[in-house]
Amino acid sequence: MRIFITGHRGQLGKALTARLNSHTLAGGDLPDWDMTNTAQVLDTLRDFQPEIVIHAAALTAVDYCAEHPEEAVKVNGVGTYNVALACRQLGARLTAISTNEVFDGQASRPYQEYDLRRPINPYGYSKFVAEQVIERIAPHYQIVRTAWLYAPGGTNFIHKIIARARSGEPLRVVTDEVGSPTYAADLADGLARLVELGRPGIYHLTNAGACSRYEFACEILRLAGLGEVPVEPITLADFSRPSTPPPYAPLANVFAAAAGITLRPWQEALAEYIREHCPA
């Protein structure tokens, strides 16, 4: 298949490129490719003639989005509109990555794919806009929500926790934000299987299970051989930041699981990641 990956230089884009290397691939990403440029998006996709576009590009810095809400909508909303419109004109299938932050975090159980979306921060709102654009414009789409994504390279929650523990800085981590940590390599594998399956719809793909940020941090330290480092449990009210995360937003995989696609437990994925990418 001919597959175009937006955001191919990002953490998920790199994992997808590695996983899908048996297909004919192309990609677009900053600084030379801007999905908010309507003409550039259409020209690039028309030149490549993809059968499938995997839309992984996004402005994902949630605190930055909170401080720049109009930019968040421009990038995540208008940018997605351009990609969806190009897919419509070219007859390409669209698989777009979304987030658990389209939900408000007030549920008493993990969110299922067709639960009511009610974002409570600008990042979540911008992705909610993106989902609606896709639903109304793309002729054949998959929307795939994930959460708490991590991958080698760059900075992520895992590396921050380990670095602070090794530096002797105090660790204070919230106990009342709950989600589903997801290893990008596992998500890329699930996405590849979903793309190859070709069924349209909305899907949730995260590593199985859920935990609080505090529990996640404690498991990171244990696996990194730093289990003796104290971690102070705090609440979201104690942690000041520009964005307001949904407090309880694990995702339930109902529809992908019905098609035989599931990801391993988050603890197993984290153990492999730390073993391979976080040397002592």
Side-chain angles (χ1 to χ4, degrees):
M1 291 186 290
R2 297 179 64 81
I3 302 174
F4 188 93
I5 302 171
T6 76
H8 71 289
R9 297 189 183 108
Q11 58 180 355
L12 179 56
K14 290 177 180 177
L16 283 166
T17 299
R19 172 60 176 79
L20 294 166
N21 62 5
S22 63
H23 299 279
T24 302
L25 303 179
D29 209 338
L30 294 171
D32 52 302
W33 188 85
D34 182 357
M35 67 179 177
T36 66
N37 184 323
T38 307
Q40 186 183 35
V41 170
L42 182 56
D43 289 347
T44 304
L45 293 181
R46 186 187 290 121
D47 288 345
F48 181 66
Q49 288 292 313
E51 298 167 72
I52 297 167
V53 175
I54 301 180
H55 182 38
L59 180 56
T60 59
V62 294
D63 288 334
Y64 182 89
C65 289
E67 295 169 329
H68 304 86
E70 292 182 0
E71 183 179 351
V73 170
K74 178 182 178 182
V75 175
N76 294 335
V78 177
T80 298
Y81 171 85
N82 290 334
V83 174
L85 185 62
C87 287
R88 183 184 183 92
Q89 293 186 13
L90 298 172
R93 290 160 43 193
L94 175 61
T95 296
I97 312 307
S98 193
T99 174
N100 65 329
E101 297 212 17
V102 298
F103 299 116
D104 63 9
Q106 300 301 311
S108 57
R109 54 153 176 82
Y111 284 93
Q112 298 182 8
E113 289 84 346
Y114 292 93
D115 281 335
L116 179 66
R117 298 168 292 192
R118 189 183 288 119
I120 60 173
N121 62 55
Y123 169 65
Y125 177 75
S126 72
K127 297 295 282 185
F128 173 48
V129 171
E131 289 192 9
Q132 292 181 91
V133 163
I134 292 164
E135 291 166 346
R136 295 171 187 179
I137 294 177
H140 184 296
Y141 67 83
Q142 296 171 328
I143 292 171
V144 184
R145 300 188 187 115
T146 192
W148 293 16
L149 194 64
Y150 61 88
T155 302
N156 60 42
F157 183 79
I158 297 169
H159 293 285
K160 286 180 181 178
I161 290 294
I162 292 174
R164 294 196 70 165
R166 288 176 175 163
S167 71
E169 294 181 67
L171 282 170
R172 304 172 72 242
V173 184
V174 297
T175 61
D176 54 348
E177 181 189 355
V178 177
S180 306
T182 306
Y183 185 14
D186 288 4
L187 176 59
D189 183 67
L191 280 167
R193 294 167 62 195
L194 197 57
V195 164
E196 290 161 355
L197 188 65
R199 294 183 183 179
I202 299 176
Y203 298 91
H204 287 171
L205 282 180
T206 64
N207 282 116
C211 62
S212 69
R213 288 281 184 186
Y214 174 80
E215 292 167 328
F216 191 27
C218 290
E219 185 67 0
I220 290 166
L221 294 175
R222 185 187 72 81
L223 291 167
L226 298 165
E228 76 285 354
V229 175
V231 183
E232 179 186 353
I234 61 172
T235 66
L236 286 167
D238 299 322
F239 183 57
S240 178
R241 59 180 298 190
S243 186
T244 303
Y248 182 86
L251 299 178
N253 172 359
V254 177
F255 286 86
I261 302 172
T262 60
L263 305 187
R264 59 183 163 171
W266 69 266
Q267 297 94 330
E268 292 180 18
L270 178 63
E272 179 181 304
Y273 179 84
I274 289 179
R275 185 169 59 251
E276 295 185 356
H277 300 290
C278 301

